[in-house]
């Protein structure tokens, strides 16, 4: 399988509970390498652009409010089949449906405050990475 990159966000519920290290440990244990990482405060513009695909959904306003409610950690993860591998490590969107051993099973609080984001395909991953990182910030 090819070496890929995927985009990850540790969401405000995770940073608020001091879980950056605990979540990074699960990421690294899965064989993914954190090749870029920074802690930022997302602007409302950035959050609305990032989640534009969900604009028509009833939870869009709540989602944007949540993403700007506190610091987030944005990351680039690299590894074999990184996109699908990270989706597996994250677990289901709704933590009550997430499998044992996943980040969301261990740490997520609700379907909205679910601790992590991961890209759903390599193409979206590339777009999402470019929204937050310039090339020289990614060190593989
Ligand atoms: P993901 O790819 O597993 O993150 O899930 P989606 O792409 O379906 O949704 C994006 C994000 O929107 C999720 O991670 C949640 O933070 C949020 N979200 C999804 N469904 C709901 C919902 O029913 N209510 C709320 N408040 N947020 C939701």
């Amino acid at each position: 399988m090819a070496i890929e990159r995927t985009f990850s966000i540790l969401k405000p519920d995770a940073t608020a509970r001091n879980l950056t290290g605990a979540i990074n440990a699960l990421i690294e244990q899965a064989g993914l390498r954190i090749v870029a990482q920074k802690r930022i405060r997302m602007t409302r513009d950035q959050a609305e652009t990032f989640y534009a695909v969900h604009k028509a959904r009833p939870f869009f306003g709540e989602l944007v409010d949540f993403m700007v409610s506190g610091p987030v950690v944005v990351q680039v993860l690299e590894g074999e089949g990184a996109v699908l591998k990270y989706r597996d490590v994250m677990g289901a969107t709704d933590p009550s449906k997430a499998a044992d051993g996943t980040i969301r099973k261990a740490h997520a609080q609700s379907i909205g405050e679910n601790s992590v984001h991961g890209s759903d395909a390599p193409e979206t991953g590339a777009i999402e990475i470019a929204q937050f990182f310039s090339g020289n910030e990614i060190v593989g």
Side-chain angles (χ1 to χ4, degrees):
M1 202 179 277
I3 298 289
E4 262 174 10
R5 286 178 175 172
T6 191
F7 180 69
S8 162
I9 306 176
L10 311 191
K11 296 183 178 181
D13 68 289
T15 61
R17 289 176 291 146
N18 218 17
L19 291 171
T20 300
I23 293 174
N24 279 351
L26 292 173
I27 289 170
E28 293 186 335
Q29 278 159 25
L32 292 164
R33 306 181 72 82
I34 301 166
V35 295
Q37 171 170 266
K38 59 189 171 189
R39 181 173 166 111
I40 62 165
R41 195 81 186 218
M42 236 187 230
T43 65
R44 191 161 286 275
D45 263 4
Q46 280 176 317
E48 284 175 354
T49 302
F50 186 78
Y51 278 120
V53 65
H54 294 306
K55 206 166 185 128
R57 310 282 284 275
F59 57 82
F60 180 71
E62 206 175 301
L63 175 58
V64 170
D65 286 347
F66 169 55
M67 294 303 289
V68 303
S69 68
V72 299
V73 177
V74 290
Q75 304 175 315
V76 181
L77 309 181
E78 188 176 86
E80 283 197 7
V83 170
L84 282 181
K85 185 177 277 185
Y86 190 43
R87 298 289 303 182
D88 279 350
V89 177
M90 287 164 52
T93 309
D94 180 349
S96 70
K97 297 183 180 140
D100 284 345
T102 61
I103 294 168
R104 284 169 166 167
K105 175 73 175 189
H107 299 300
Q109 299 186 296
S110 66
I111 193 169
E113 303 200 357
N114 59 5
S115 305
V116 280
H117 165 85
S119 308
D120 60 5
E123 299 72 27
T124 10
I127 293 166
E128 292 175 353
I129 289 169
Q131 276 179 262
F132 292 94
F133 290 99
S134 57
N136 63 5
E137 291 179 301
I138 305 168
V139 184

